[in-house]
Amino acid sequence: MNKSILFGALTVAGLAAGAAAAGTLDDVKARGKLNCGVTTGLVGFAAPDANGKWNGFDVSLCRAVAAAVLGDENAVEFVPTTGKTRFTALASGEIDMLARNTTWTFSRDVDLKFTFVGVNYYDGQGFLVPKDLGVSSAKDLDGATVCIQTGTTTELNLSDYFRVNNISYEPVPIETNAEGQQQFLAGACDVYTTDASGLAATRATFENPDDYVLLPEIISKEPLGPLVRHGDDEWGDVVRWTLYALVSAEELGVTSANLSEMTAGTNNPEINRLLGTEGTLGDMLGLDAGWAKAAIAVGGNYGEIFAKNIGEETPIGLARGLNAQWTEGGLLYSPPFR
Amino acid sequence: MSTLTDPQKESFRLSMLLYDSRYRSATIQVVALIGFIILVGWLIYNTSQNLAALGKGIDFGYLVEPAGYDINQRLLEYSSRDTHFRAAIIGLLNTLVVALLGCITATVLGVVIGVLRLSNNWLVSRIMAVYVETFRNIPVLLWIVLAMAIMIETLPSPKAFRGDNATASMMLNDSVAITNRGVYVPEPLFSRGLGDIHLFGNSSIRFDISLDLIAILIVLAASIWAVNRVKHRADKIQDSTGDRPATWYLQLGLIVVPVGILLAILGFHFGYPELKGFNFKGGTHFRNSLIALWLALSLYTAAFIAEIVRAGIMAISKGQTEAAEALGLRSGKIMSLVVLPQALRVIIPPLISNYLNLTKNSSLAIAVGYMDITGTLGGITMNQTGRELESILLMMLVYLSISLSISAVMNWYNESVKLEER
């Protein structure tokens, strides 16, 4: 009995790895559905609403890719993954792409054999504490109990930060954001740490968000971006340029409001190339000429997606900061569509 | 009358492998074995081929790299600069701790409940039946999560102990603090301790042995030897005179006095937990993840053990009890002297499986963030290094070794209690 389970597991591993070797773009087209890995629930980034429809910043990217490849923003199967299961899910071919606040690091790129196709949110690790704890700096946290999601870069940053500053802490490992929230609100940990954007999103769901503050220290660089498996560059290109299409659209002033007007033809050749009325960019990717138009039509350009899901008008209230266009002092910089 | 002739010497023909019943079963077994080996070979080949295609060959080198993460409950000294291997050992020890605590508690609870379930008191036996049916019919994961949720949500956080209008206070003369981060109890300390011996230098398997503990154990062993001498002497006197001298005060004194003197020499005292900064400091900290896991696993497994104990007791014929009653034994004595020793022979083998189950179920620890070997080697290490196959294989090996060791010990015990057949 035990033996058969072992061999069953090995078979699955073998078959899954076999599946991963084929062309993902063709697989997705043949399947008629994109399998997109997201978080198990982080409001603003990826969370199902009351009707079970997934919404959020990362979800919008999945939908944009589905629209570009399949022409249908709803042809997405959202696969919730935890910090622990996400990489196995991607490596085994269970999902085609991962859009789940995942930090681009050297070892994930090189050793885990993934390709980060770009950055859709420039983030850093922060600390969330209750106001009445009376702490104003992360350096005051000596001896604190810290809730932390396991299997994340934040876990390693935390260890390094406390070691460098020569202060101690007690880690409480948790599996999902929901568990962390429960423990933090019950006072089982003093501090909750993860990416600052995630903390803002979590705080927005609290009953009394104003009783909690983000400490000023941002202790790491966390470039979050979508990733795909190593070795399938055609598919990597599709996801990469869909992301850049959204970024370029904002830079070029293409919005969901003026999209159809722009498609009729403009005197800016780059907009024409992006929207497929000039040149054969879609063809080169193995997609329709209107791929970028379809992607932008889902939720608008990058700026619109940001504003709608996590921007300052939403309860999460994140400023653009580093995530503004390069023309406005941010880091968003799309290579030209040419 | 028939004459016996020499049987004709049969020559072996290939078809006999199939049609001769003497060879057929061997043929089938050999064919099945070859098929099995081919299947295994194909699986291993396929796995290694696909791993090679992904560029991720089997490599255990990651175990000597620095782990980079911290572990809250560590029985040996550990820091984030230690290796993944060291982290795996810390996790293994945590697994063993919860398994050992769980097995002991489950056995005690299980025996008590199993005996009470056979009680003549209707209410008691019904309550025990409800307990058994409730616990064994709900998945253990739910019990673990429930225990954790109750501890987190209902117990006060350390904050509640602070300030002038504190809503919570420490118990037992300010020596025990029960919080939603765990239970803090006084710890034994030695002000004139003998120190530790460091073994294995700076390697991943280094550990310290407390000389204080060794000294106490040596004195205790000597005391027990002396007590045995006293008993022996009492036996002799009883044999020759028929009167057994009262030796209980001598035995008690032999155990208590030397250890007491040693503790006084070592400067034994308790370190009490105290609220300092964000948390209680000092004392021994039982984290709520450990308590939740320990409690849930014990209560769950105790329900199974209770049934095993009940079956064992019922397997002993009524005549044994009646004979013991006829000899004038009271019911408690009948149970402990007559019924249970015989019932053990029935109880031990299924008890082994339950110990194994408890140990394996402890891998659900990750649900409450208890850092056992599934949490360290199979969790964070696997995730941060991306070595899934290697980590899973290692974990399987570890659990297999633990289970086989428990089996071996319990089988040895079973040998010693089983009925001697002559």
Side-chain angles (χ1 to χ4, degrees):
Chain A
M1 182 62 201
N2 280 335
K3 270 185 192 152
S4 67
I5 290 171
L6 164 62
F7 294 129
L10 286 178
T11 320
V12 171
L15 292 178
T24 312
L25 181 57
D26 296 334
D27 285 352
V28 172
K29 281 181 176 169
R31 200 188 307 130
K33 216 160 204 188
L34 171 75
N35 292 334
C36 193
V38 290
T39 68
T40 50
L42 180 61
V43 173
F45 284 86
D49 64 12
N51 303 319
K53 189 171 186 284
W54 283 83
N55 278 314
F57 187 69
D58 285 333
V59 166
S60 299
L61 186 66
C62 297
R63 292 196 189 280
V65 172
V69 176
L70 303 165
D72 178 5
E73 58 167 297
N74 291 318
V76 190
E77 176 86 28
F78 290 101
V79 180
T81 57
T82 67
K84 270 178 69 182
T85 61
R86 54 185 166 177
F87 296 127
T88 321
L90 183 59
S92 68
E94 187 189 344
I95 54 178
D96 303 312
M97 61 178 281
L98 181 67
R100 190 207 174 275
N101 326 68
T102 300
T103 308
W104 185 349
T105 69
F106 181 94
S107 62
R108 285 173 178 176
D109 197 334
V110 177
D111 191 38
L112 295 190
K113 308 289 178 195
F114 295 126
T115 299
F116 284 81
V117 298
V119 176
N120 70 342
Y121 192 93
Y122 289 93
D123 209 341
Q125 183 176 349
F127 297 98
L128 183 66
V129 295
K131 248 184 200 152
D132 59 10
L133 201 62
V135 169
S136 58
S137 158
K139 300 214 165 92
D140 301 338
L141 290 175
D142 191 13
T145 303
V146 183
C147 272
I148 177 135
Q149 288 189 42
T150 65
T152 59
T153 47
T154 50
E155 193 166 39
L156 307 181
N157 296 334
L158 181 73
S159 170
D160 289 349
Y161 181 80
F162 277 79
R163 168 170 280 273
V164 167
N165 286 296
N166 213 2
I167 48 183
S168 68
Y169 72 106
E170 155 108 8
V172 175
I174 48 146
E175 191 82 332
T176 64
N177 193 50
E179 268 176 55
Q181 198 169 322
Q182 183 204 9
Q183 298 226 12
F184 179 62
L185 288 178
C189 44
D190 300 304
V191 189
Y192 187 29
T193 180
T194 183
D195 300 335
S197 64
L199 291 177
T202 306
R203 186 177 62 166
T205 63
F206 289 176
E207 218 170 295
N208 303 311
D210 294 336
D211 292 350
Y212 300 89
V213 282
L214 277 164
L215 295 181
E217 282 89 352
I218 296 292
I219 64 166
S220 68
K221 287 187 290 189
E222 307 283 341
L224 309 180
L227 57 156
V228 297
R229 279 180 297 278
H230 230 38
D232 190 351
D233 290 349
E234 285 75 19
W235 176 244
D237 286 343
V238 168
V239 181
R240 174 179 299 117
W241 287 96
T242 306
L243 172 62
Y244 284 142
L246 300 177
V247 175
S248 280
E250 186 187 16
E251 189 185 347
L252 297 169
V254 181
T255 66
S256 51
N258 64 12
L259 186 61
S260 47
E261 185 188 323
M262 293 274 196
T263 323
T266 63
N267 55 9
N268 183 342
E270 180 147 22
I271 295 180
N272 294 347
R273 282 194 297 271
L274 174 68
L275 297 179
T277 50
E278 192 182 315
T280 56
L281 294 186
D283 216 28
M284 296 177 198
L285 274 178
L287 301 175
D288 297 338
W291 65 280
K293 184 190 165 212
I296 298 164
V298 174
N301 61 36
Y302 181 91
E304 289 175 85
I305 294 173
F306 192 103
K308 177 168 169 273
N309 292 301
I310 52 178
E312 286 177 302
E313 304 293 305
T314 65
I316 296 162
L318 291 170
R320 283 295 287 270
L322 289 176
N323 296 294
Q325 291 285 338
W326 62 284
T327 47
E328 286 161 24
L331 292 176
L332 282 193
Y333 187 99
S334 162
F337 277 74
R338 185 172 290 284
Chain B
M1 192 161 175
S2 62
T3 49
L4 283 171
T5 53
D6 281 344
Q8 199 187 339
K9 192 140 186 165
E10 266 183 77
S11 61
F12 180 78
R13 279 165 288 120
L14 216 53
S15 62
M16 283 166 67
L17 282 179
L18 209 53
Y19 296 115
D20 192 318
S21 59
R22 280 174 298 174
Y23 303 118
R24 195 190 290 137
S25 71
T27 314
I28 295 172
Q29 289 183 40
V30 168
V31 169
L33 182 67
I34 291 174
F36 181 72
I37 291 174
I38 290 176
L39 182 72
V40 172
W42 176 79
L43 281 170
I44 293 174
Y45 173 77
N46 192 25
T47 309
S48 61
Q49 201 72 10
N50 279 311
L51 283 174
L54 276 174
K56 283 170 71 171
I58 300 256
D59 177 11
F60 288 95
Y62 70 99
L63 285 174
V64 297
E65 301 295 325
Y69 59 89
D70 288 296
I71 300 175
N72 47 17
Q73 177 181 311
R74 35 185 197 262
L75 298 186
L76 299 180
E77 164 234 351
Y78 167 86
S79 83
S80 60
R81 302 316 302 159
D82 277 312
T83 62
H84 284 293
F85 184 65
R86 177 92 178 163
I89 290 179
I90 304 289
L92 173 63
L93 288 176
N94 287 346
T95 294
L96 293 177
V97 163
V98 79
L100 186 71
L101 288 174
C103 284
I104 294 172
T105 319
T107 311
V108 173
L109 275 178
V111 170
V112 170
I113 292 164
V115 170
L116 287 183
R117 217 189 146 178
L118 291 170
S119 161
N120 291 326
N121 185 323
W122 185 87
L123 190 63
V124 169
S125 76
R126 286 306 109 174
I127 289 175
M128 292 307 147
V130 168
Y131 170 89
V132 168
E133 296 306 334
T134 321
F135 271 89
R136 70 172 180 170
N137 289 314
I138 293 175
V140 65
L141 179 61
L142 297 186
W143 289 119
I144 296 174
V145 172
L146 179 75
M148 186 68 171
I150 290 175
M151 297 196 57
I152 290 177
E153 297 293 345
T154 60
L155 296 175
S157 70
K159 212 187 301 173
F161 291 82
R162 197 174 295 132
D164 295 330
N165 41 11
T167 52
S169 58
M170 293 171 71
M171 300 167 68
L172 298 178
N173 204 11
D174 272 2
S175 62
V176 176
I178 299 178
T179 73
N180 66 353
R181 291 177 193 177
V183 176
Y184 297 79
V185 298
E187 60 177 341
L189 291 174
F190 300 100
S191 53
R192 294 180 290 275
L194 300 171
D196 299 327
I197 313 179
H198 305 279
L199 290 182
F200 299 110
N202 269 328
S203 70
S204 289
I205 50 167
R206 67 180 185 277
F207 63 94
D208 295 344
I209 297 178
S210 161
L211 284 174
D212 306 321
L213 187 66
I214 291 182
I216 292 171
L217 288 179
I218 290 174
V219 170
L220 212 53
S223 300
I224 290 171
W225 178 81
V227 165
N228 277 336
R229 295 301 308 164
V230 170
K231 274 189 194 160
H232 194 66
R233 188 172 147 266
D235 285 347
K236 266 190 178 161
I237 294 174
Q238 190 176 13
D239 285 348
S240 56
T241 65
D243 281 331
R244 189 178 180 86
T247 58
W248 64 268
Y249 52 86
L250 204 56
Q251 292 186 27
L252 191 70
L254 276 175
I255 296 279
V256 172
V257 173
V259 173
I261 292 173
L262 179 68
L263 288 181
I265 291 173
L266 292 177
F268 177 83
H269 63 278
F270 279 114
Y272 292 100
E274 224 179 311
L275 190 57
K276 269 188 196 157
F278 297 100
N279 280 315
F280 281 92
K281 294 268 164 63
T284 303
H285 180 191
F286 291 96
R287 286 174 181 76
N288 50 11
S289 53
L290 169 68
I291 297 176
L293 189 66
W294 173 20
L295 207 64
L297 285 176
S298 311
L299 293 176
Y300 176 78
T301 312
F304 289 88
I305 294 180
E307 285 297 272
I308 294 169
V309 169
R310 187 169 70 110
I313 292 173
M314 288 174 80
I316 306 303
S317 85
K318 195 93 174 96
Q320 298 274 340
T321 317
E322 288 165 357
E325 273 167 7
L327 287 173
L329 291 179
R330 295 195 196 119
S331 62
K333 290 270 180 192
I334 296 175
M335 189 53 84
S336 64
L337 291 177
V338 178
V339 177
L340 272 184
Q342 297 187 77
L344 270 186
R345 290 163 194 155
V346 184
I347 291 172
I348 299 289
L351 195 62
I352 303 176
S353 330
N354 272 295
Y355 286 169
L356 298 183
N357 272 340
L358 189 147
T359 309
K360 288 180 285 176
N361 283 341
S362 74
S363 61
L364 294 169
I366 191 64
V368 287
Y370 180 73
M371 296 311 276
D372 70 338
I373 187 139
T374 319
T376 56
L377 177 64
I380 306 179
T381 293
M382 180 166 105
N383 214 282
Q384 301 291 5
T385 61
R387 294 282 166 193
E388 293 94 355
L389 196 65
E390 292 91 334
S391 299
I392 295 287
L393 285 176
L394 273 181
M395 271 197 333
M396 288 166 86
L397 191 69
V398 166
Y399 278 108
L400 188 67
S401 316
I402 299 176
S403 295
L404 288 180
S405 314
I406 295 176
S407 257
V409 171
M410 292 302 291
N411 279 329
W412 167 79
Y413 179 62
N414 190 33
E415 283 295 311
S416 69
V417 298
K418 83 171 183 198
L419 204 58
E420 299 276 342
E421 287 177 25
R422 294 188 183 90

